[in-house]
Amino acid sequence: MAEDLNWAVGGEAGDGIDSTGKIFAQALSRAGRHVFTSKDFASRIRGGYTAYKIRTSVDQVQSVVDRLDILVALTQRTIDENLDELHEGSAIIYDGERSWEADIPDDAAAVDVPLKSLAEDAGGAIMRNIVALGAACEITSFDVEYLDEALEKRFGGKGSKIVENNKEAARLGQEYVQENYDLDLGYDLETTDNDYVLLNGNEAIGMGALAAGCRFYAGYPITPATSIMEYLTGRIEDYGGHVVQAEDELSAINMALGAARSGARSMTATSGAGIDLMTETFGLVATSETPLVITDVQRSGPSTGMPTKQEQGDLNMALYGGHGEVPRFIVTPTSISECFWKTVEAFNLAEKYQTPVFLVSDLAMSVTEQTFEPETFDMDDVEIDRGKLVDEDEVEEWLDSQGRFRAHAVTDDGVSPRAIPGTTEGAHMSTGLEHDELGRRTEEQDERVQQVDKRSRKVETAKEQEEWDYREFGDADADNLVISWGSNEGALIEALEYLEDDGIDVRIISVPYIFPRPDLSDEIDAADDTIVVECNATGQFADVIEHDVLTRVKRINKYTGVRFKADELADEIADKLSQEVPAQ
Amino acid sequence: MSSQSDVRFTDFKSDKQPTWCPGCGDFGTMNGMMKGLAETGNDPDNTFVVAGIGCSGKIGTYMHSYALHGVHGRALPVGTGVKMARPDIEVMVAGGDGDGYSIGSGHFVHAVRRNVDMSYVVMDNRIYGLTKGQASPTSRSDFETSTTPEGPKQPPVNPLALALASGATFIAQSFASDALRHQEIIQEAIEHDGFGFVNVFSPCVTFNDVDTYDYFRDSLVDLQEDEDHDATNYEDAKEVILDADKEYQGIMYQDENSVPYHEQHGVTEDMSEIPDGAPEDAMDLVREFY
Ligand SMILES: Cc1ncc(C[n+]2csc(CCOP(=O)(O)OP(=O)(O)O)c2C)c(N)n1
Ligand code: SF4
Ligand SMILES: [Mg+2]
């Protein structure tokens, strides 16, 4: 792999860290470099340390590592938080004129730039972060003109004066370093002619929803799901859709359900406590056989937990949430581009099987931006399958002898016809009560059993008709098997290189479906050692796998609130492989 | 869709016989709903009824239309979703006083504020009927029930005042047994441009021996007969709504300038129709991320 550069800007929440980082990421992307970003942040709007980190290379990057080359530090804490990642050859850009006395580690290059006063020269102190970006360009021999493009994109809407001032601020920073420092740290950012798009997992989910024909979204703000709602707002209208901010998640999921019963492709998304509230309605979605996509962007729990931290702790909730036995599908995208494709798939599954589909993503993916070739999201490959949606003519086939529509008809594949309001002769009721084929309440034993069986049969049909494949990386013949779900995939792929260097061959299986899920019995049988990697304390997926294959597996669990890093993961895998398998 | 003239109110009746107690107010309430829907030119195939949970919620089964009988207290959000996605469909939401003013009270406030163009019929019997006679949010403070042996000792919710305070554009009250007036009022609610809210006195003959047919017959004041009451006047509305001494029937308040949600937000499309693949210009969505 080509040389990578690890860059960060950090300060207090409210210092504009996020937009500064995003501008630099965009500039790199414009220069035809791949980018993978990550964020350290606190949930307070102002106060508290926050940082935006970028890993960039001319090759695809999909993980963070424990190394920092260039750090723009607006506070001492930014330096302190990253001491372990700084090394000989790192450069720290800071403003020595500011009140804090910077304590720079000995081996790093201290680049003192009067950020504030140079920003004032360019037209306002607010642009001090942009001055720092200019300085960073100089240190990395990166052409400022790429920064110009990113500034135009960021500030274009605010008028040319603002854009020009920002460009000037960047130049002042660049020139200051050029004139005052003679650094040769060896950083030389290569550029390419490639055009990349830069987006995060929530944007990919939102875009997937629009591509899939989602027209209605109801939600209640909660980190880290809100940005899906924000993405759709202002865009869904272009397609005749609407986003509504509900009074709570109880309402949001019921509104989404109402829209779905009206025939719209409909979605809600939430996280943490919000998914608990929505649990109330899971069973209704399933028994009324309503196609609905319910997105859970997992964050650290339980309760309010660590709202801005990573965790994959909701797998059991997705599998078992809701009283009674609720048929459902659980789709878990494993990368940012897969957030797009799995969203499209979720909408098709929902309508084909008239069943709730949980799209379970996680915080790490939702706030991470990554570059892709635009063709990764080739819209021509988007397929829409609306299942057994019947029109006025087809309704006829599904009427009983008295002309009543059999909305919950017991069929071989378990899927019934679906008539939406406005379809002549299709009028029917659906209910959370157990019901007969017409949707009318029943407690008659035969009918009850028929309906339960029919709903289960939909899952069986889906198991047969759909592909529930896993994604595979590394050495398919390796004796060591590592299994993961969700966003750990990127770090695992990059961990392969480190492991290879240590002479360890690994086969990686990344699972995007939790229910139904691929049967991994043969794969686990064939391996000497199996490790399940996930961001939770109890090993929820490992439990599921042990239950499936009746074998003990090794586990790597991380629940610090921070996602796995490639190098750290490689070390842990090597370490686990040297340990005994836990007792049966 | 059948044309207006062939629709009869019995078309809205399912063939399921109601299991309500003989004499239950819900019979009359439902009749008025069916007649109101038929009279306003709707037919079962373009009507969506959302029913709450309770004795009242059984209307979903006894009526014939597109319908959903969902989770206790969440009928209004469902109706909201149905209407937003399909402005062409007539939406009527109905449920009990417990469903609407207790477990669903949060949704009530916000549904009122949103002013979605649908009607909301609350079958208010001032009791929990289905769970066999516990206090409801509209029960009198001294009303003795199995869970409140000395009465709830809290004032009942005034749903009309709650609606007014939440920015309602249509507030009315009717009595299930006054068939003609009840139907007229329901019709007005359906025809109102916005959220048409009707609280219906719908006596529970089994568990409420206080708020009975006789009580309402004797005490009800019809605003139609009050020449001084101008429903379009907010102050007039406030006066009757806050009058704790009388039970009123009629339209308390109607905002003539009501702008329903779909107009306010430009939500006018039939959202059920989508292309066979991604929208034609969908690659523009990708290009935004350059
Ligand atoms: C979440 C939940 N809690 C409790 C119940 C039990 N329950 C069913 S109906 C009802 C009260 C109904 O009262 P109301 O809405 O006034 O309807 P009525 O039966 O009087 O028409 C309750 C508490 C339930 N179905 N769901
Ligand atoms: S219990 Fe009361 S509300 Fe329920 S059906 Fe009987 S009379 Fe009606
Ligand atoms: Mg009641």
Side-chain angles (χ1 to χ4, degrees), chain B residues 73-190:
Chain B
R74 316 289 170 234
L76 281 172
V78 174
T80 301
V82 171
K83 186 69 188 183
M84 285 186 187
R86 292 292 299 279
D88 56 316
I89 297 297
E90 182 63 43
V91 178
M92 181 177 273
V93 180
D97 39 316
D99 195 81
Y101 310 144
S102 187
I103 193 164
S105 56
H107 308 310
F108 178 60
V109 167
H110 296 279
V112 166
R113 287 176 62 213
R114 260 179 220 112
N115 202 30
V116 172
D117 189 13
M118 59 188 185
S119 46
Y120 182 39
V121 180
V122 178
M123 299 146 99
D124 183 4
N125 52 14
R126 301 180 171 176
I127 188 88
Y128 281 12
L130 191 70
T131 47
K132 301 194 191 305
Q134 299 79 28
S136 97
T138 49
S139 295
R140 300 169 189 220
S141 71
D142 59 355
F143 181 56
E144 295 166 15
T145 75
S146 58
T147 53
T148 57
E150 294 172 21
K153 297 183 180 174
Q154 331 166 31
V157 165
N158 178 340
L160 310 173
L162 187 57
L164 193 70
S166 307
T169 58
F170 184 98
I171 305 174
Q173 193 153 258
S174 66
F175 177 32
S177 137
D178 189 345
L180 212 61
R181 285 289 288 137
H182 167 62
Q183 182 197 328
E184 279 171 11
I185 291 166
I186 294 281
Q187 263 171 244
E188 296 271 0
I190 294 171

Side-chain angles (χ1 to χ4, degrees), chain A residues 345-504:
Chain A
E345 197 177 327
F347 277 98
N348 286 334
L349 286 172
E351 282 204 309
K352 278 168 87 172
Y353 300 99
Q354 299 166 25
T355 296
V357 178
F358 293 99
L359 184 70
V360 183
S361 153
D362 57 47
L363 183 136
M365 221 154 21
S366 74
V367 295
T368 301
E369 274 125 8
Q370 190 179 335
T371 40
F372 295 93
E373 276 157 14
E375 299 73 42
T376 313
F377 308 100
D378 187 347
M379 293 290 177
D380 288 340
D381 288 345
V382 171
E383 283 171 18
I384 306 282
D385 188 338
R386 306 210 63 183
K388 289 198 198 169
L389 193 59
V390 294
D391 62 20
E392 323 249 338
D393 302 327
E394 294 157 333
V395 157
E396 295 292 326
E397 288 170 43
W398 296 97
L399 301 181
D400 73 356
S401 57
Q402 293 172 60
R404 300 171 301 191
F405 182 65
R406 294 157 58 222
H408 300 277
V410 176
T411 57
D412 289 343
D413 61 3
V415 186
S416 310
R418 173 168 170 239
I420 58 171
T423 312
T424 304
E425 294 193 275
H428 64 275
M429 182 172 84
S430 284
T431 166
L433 289 165
E434 194 52 273
H435 43 264
D436 60 14
E437 288 196 322
L438 301 175
R440 302 178 312 177
R441 175 195 194 147
T442 182
E443 291 186 353
E444 224 259 291
Q445 294 185 27
D446 286 350
E447 285 176 336
R448 156 71 176 175
V449 170
Q450 277 180 4
Q451 288 292 323
V452 171
D453 288 350
K454 133 186 183 31
R455 292 192 293 263
S456 305
R457 212 152 54 236
K458 291 194 292 189
V459 178
E460 292 311 312
T461 305
K463 276 185 188 167
E464 283 162 25
Q465 291 189 352
E466 308 293 328
E467 292 190 8
W468 306 96
D469 290 344
Y470 53 77
R471 290 152 67 83
E472 177 159 9
F473 307 93
D475 176 1
D477 301 320
D479 294 332
N480 305 312
L481 175 62
V482 175
I483 300 172
S484 154
W485 66 288
S487 68
N488 314 316
E489 182 185 281
L492 276 170
I493 294 171
E494 295 204 350
L496 281 172
E497 261 185 66
Y498 294 90
L499 289 162
E500 223 169 82
D501 289 347
D502 291 344
I504 302 172

Side-chain angles (χ1 to χ4, degrees), chain B residues 19-21 24-26 55 125 129-130 203-207:
Chain B
T19 56
W20 287 317
C21 307
C24 174
D26 293 351
C55 290
N125 52 14
L130 191 70
C204 170
V205 293
T206 307
F207 296 112

Side-chain angles (χ1 to χ4, degrees), chain A residues 216 251-264 266 290 292 421, chain B residues 48 50 68 75 77-86:
Chain A
F216 186 82
S251 180
I253 189 171
N254 278 281
M255 285 183 183
L257 172 129
R261 294 223 60 91
S262 270
S266 168
T290 306
L292 190 64
Chain B
F48 202 111
V50 187
L68 186 90
V78 174
T80 301
V82 171
K83 186 69 188 183
M84 285 186 187
R86 292 292 299 279

